[in-house]
Amino acid sequence: MSSQPPPNETGTRSSLQYAQSLDSADPLRHLREEFIIPSKADIKRRTATKDAATKNDEAEPCTYLCGNSLGLQPKRVSEYVQRYLRVWGSKGVFGHFTELEDQLTSPWLDIGDDPKVPLSKIVGAQSSEVAVMASLTANLHLLMASFYRPTKERYKIILERKAFPSDHACYAVESQILHHNLSIDDAMIFLDPTESRNHYLPTSQILSLIDAHASSTALLLLPGVQFYSGQFFDIPTITSYAQARGITVGWDLAHATGNVPLKLHDWNVDFAAWCHYKYMNAGPGAIAGLFVHSRHGSKTDPTAADFVPRLAGWWGSDKSSRFRMENRFVPIEGAAGWQLSNPSAIDATAVIASLSVFEMTSIEALRERSLKLTGYLEDLLNSLSWDGRSKPFEIITPKNAGERGAQLSVHLEDGLLEPVLEYLEEECAVVDERRPSVIRVAPAPLYNSFEDVWRFVQIFHAACGKAVAQT
Amino acid sequence: MSSQPPPNETGTRSSLQYAQSLDSADPLRHLREEFIIPSKADIKRRTATKDAATKNDEAEPCTYLCGNSLGLQPKRVSEYVQRYLRVWGSKGVFGHFTELEDQLTSPWLDIGDDPKVPLSKIVGAQSSEVAVMASLTANLHLLMASFYRPTKERYKIILERKAFPSDHACYAVESQILHHNLSIDDAMIFLDPTESRNHYLPTSQILSLIDAHASSTALLLLPGVQFYSGQFFDIPTITSYAQARGITVGWDLAHATGNVPLKLHDWNVDFAAWCHYKYMNAGPGAIAGLFVHSRHGSKTDPTAADFVPRLAGWWGSDKSSRFRMENRFVPIEGAAGWQLSNPSAIDATAVIASLSVFEMTSIEALRERSLKLTGYLEDLLNSLSWDGRSKPFEIITPKNAGERGAQLSVHLEDGLLEPVLEYLEEECAVVDERRPSVIRVAPAPLYNSFEDVWRFVQIFHAACGKAVAQT
Ligand SMILES: Cc1ncc(COP(=O)(O)O)c(C=O)c1O
Ligand SMILES: Cc1ncc(COP(=O)(O)O)c(C=O)c1O
């Protein structure tokens, strides 16, 4: 790799050498080796398969800071998936139940159980409190079918909104309310950020809104980490405050799982759901995850008053008690009691492969590393010089590291986004944009290096410089 | 392959040579080459990866007649999946929207659309009437959320039951009824076969039950092909009869799709759902499929009286009309308007690979082949000789070929199942059992040969002979 000095900086902390020294001192630097990092040539060619030799500098890795949108591929996924294909190809239906000496996952009948232990460590749960199934929005629906049971008195759902109801969970909530023949104008209670630029939502504002609707709210459903601003909410405080007022509390952890440490069990969260394609690195649309607290999931007698009703399926039924309850559905204990169908084995295999990389460390160690990476990104961005001009961007993610995960959202001056994106793309710096003005930059805790962060900032600096000069 | 004469038979029609002549004359015989047929050694070894040389006869293919449970792997699945992994590995998030010269599927943003055309031919639908998403039981729930809207007058669901409510759709229906605070004793109406051994359900019996509950039934939900008996129901007659009485009609096509020709659009079916791991050969738990008739799916104005409500998700929303309806959910037209989440790309890739094999022929040609294969299986089973003893089994699947698909269910005399299964396993004849007495034998339309059928019958004959002698 080239080692030209950073264009506009002179201080030690902003040199490539310093970034590389941080990498050398990083106890988790070996984890990057577990991932396929696309080269610049990979990104630029118009094919997936390799073509002839590429220019030397194009063999360099791209600068991928987009794991908040799609995580990179762990090398093991290919090995695990090929083994899965070999089991299917050589055993057919016996793959459902035959233990093999060289198996990388359980037989398919039990493959849904394999992720439970590693996943429960990541979200801070008992292993029986998590299940791997379906997709994020589907799981939100299934969980709302259980945990949103509106009554005349309590029927509202508190949620937050960025700009459009089409963002993520919003349509799901709207349709749940309509499903119960309630009015969305009356029953959907939105948390609207008072600061419209940075979208910060202080805990106090959330608690006030809970107070304002305390007696009529059935459910609070918030993201653990907000996708736009990157704000990491105070889950324990908000959860217990709402629960003390009789409100059930669920969390959409799409941007939180694998990113920030969670303690879902100890925080007494009622339920949660997440995807595995962002910080969990299991591939686009990968089979999702959910959490149901043991105080709900342990109740398996469907005739008991405290049984949590649910949309049921044969895969969630407890075979051993099938005859006990006069043929009525009796669930498996725990989150698995919400399972509907036999899970996609290829999809579960990818999740298991990816989780095995998480097993090489701990979520606490990853968080420590992540705080350093993101702090370093923030420092470098804030110390860029602009030749007397004012800084052409603002970081809208909370400055308090306890209130954010890996991601920093950068709000650009009007008109800069398109030329900046063009430059970043040309230089193979991969980030995610939210038009009209925001880029989201996320050093992934598992695979990004301090050098990645350093390179991104160089490219971004040059991109802004060029864009500003043009406008 | 060995060519010793069949042990107990002398007639030409029951010779191996005859079976092989049927294969030679089969215009679709090349399709078998598209599949990985496990060898006997593959089945027997305790590993997935290959070990050292095996005995010569173990290199022979196993006799796999279990495609009704898990279809064999099309060879292309591996090529497609490896290409998917390469796209993810080399493009990262750009795989969502970058067209590649060597792509085997659309970019992931549109990958859910790729299966529509081939799949719609298989189920007899317009391409916009099908969607590939979620799993079978989940889709049944999502479709019931739309099409089971009980009122005071109409609230019952008619379904069929084999022995236990835990079989497949039953728990889903039970929980839907409970979800609406109705009584399952009152609202679940079961079709019980009068002939308890063969489980045959004459159309007349179904129509009578519809009549008996005509004014109080909201939904009829039946399997297209019954998993136990193999009976193929008269979908058009039953559908129109129930609809004429104001009943909505849905079909569970798990055992029908890819097996029998369907005309869901012309038959005016309201909705249907199926899996892709049986006759569709996309692998265990593969992402599933659903059908919504265009007369429902074409209604996209959520404020109109005839709009079909649904549990919604951002992946089913029509971005282009997002601003039209004051930010309310406006679906994509067609079955895609029921989509919730971005689909698993690896899973969709497997389905697309498998569908590309179906594209080499037509469902009509497959049906023609399937009728011959299953008829040949029936003939051979019925012409076996038993040394003066009575036949130790009975075929319980309808004799009328129009009332069945590929599968024949064979009811064995008491006590024979276990020893027969043991022998079949030893000889690598793979079928599916339903304890206490039934094996299900299904020559898959795409890959089984007449020789497979012949071999199975030889092995089964010997298995029964040995089992009878032991008892
Ligand atoms: C007729 C029928 N319906 C439903 C199911 C449930 O399928 P899944 O686990 O894919 O939801 C099955 C499974 O074999 C089935 O055969
Ligand atoms: C916060 C959040 N919730 C929900 C979703 C919807 O995810 P899916 O399409 O997997 O259901 C997303 C997708 O990115 C998300 O970021």
Side-chain angles (χ1 to χ4, degrees), chain A residues 42 45 48-49 86 91 102, chain B residues 42 45 48-49 86 91 102:
Chain A
D42 281 336
R45 75 167 67 84
T49 42
R86 177 79 199 139
K91 305 291 172 198
D102 58 349
Chain B
D42 282 335
R45 74 168 67 85
T49 42
R86 177 79 198 139
K91 305 291 170 198
D102 58 349

Side-chain angles (χ1 to χ4, degrees), chain A residues 135-138 140 168-169 223 227 252 254-255 275 277-278, chain B residues 314-315 340-342:
Chain A
S135 63
L136 173 49
T137 305
L140 288 174
H168 308 142
F227 77 95
D252 176 342
H255 288 265
C275 61
Y277 47 81
K278 297 177 185 288
Chain B
W314 71 323
W315 215 255
L340 298 178
S341 296
N342 74 103

Side-chain angles (χ1 to χ4, degrees), chain A residues 314 340-342, chain B residues 135-137 168-169 227 252 254-255 275 277-278:
Chain A
W314 72 321
L340 298 178
S341 296
N342 74 102
Chain B
S135 63
L136 173 49
T137 305
H168 308 143
F227 77 96
D252 176 342
H255 288 265
C275 61
Y277 46 81
K278 297 176 186 288

Side-chain angles (χ1 to χ4, degrees), chain B residues 342-354:
Chain B
N342 74 103
S344 164
I346 195 170
D347 226 352
T349 296
V351 169
I352 292 163
S354 180

Side-chain angles (χ1 to χ4, degrees), chain A residues 42 45-46 48-49 71 73 85-86 88 91 101-102 135 141 165-166 175 277 284 312 322 327 341 344-345 347, chain B residues 42 45-46 48-49 71 73 85-86 88 91 93 101-102 135 141 165-166 175 284 312 322 327 341-342 344-345 347:
Chain A
D42 281 336
R45 75 167 67 84
R46 306 297 297 175
T49 42
Q73 184 180 154
L85 289 172
R86 177 79 199 139
W88 178 21
K91 305 291 172 198
E101 287 159 20
D102 58 349
S135 63
H141 276 301
S166 58
S175 67
Y277 47 81
R322 185 186 279 180
N327 283 340
S341 296
S344 164
D347 226 352
Chain B
D42 282 335
R45 74 168 67 85
R46 307 298 299 177
T49 42
Q73 183 181 153
L85 289 172
R86 177 79 198 139
W88 178 21
K91 305 291 170 198
V93 72
E101 287 159 20
D102 58 349
S135 63
H141 275 302
S166 58
S175 67
R322 185 186 277 177
N327 281 341
S341 296
N342 74 103
S344 164
D347 226 352

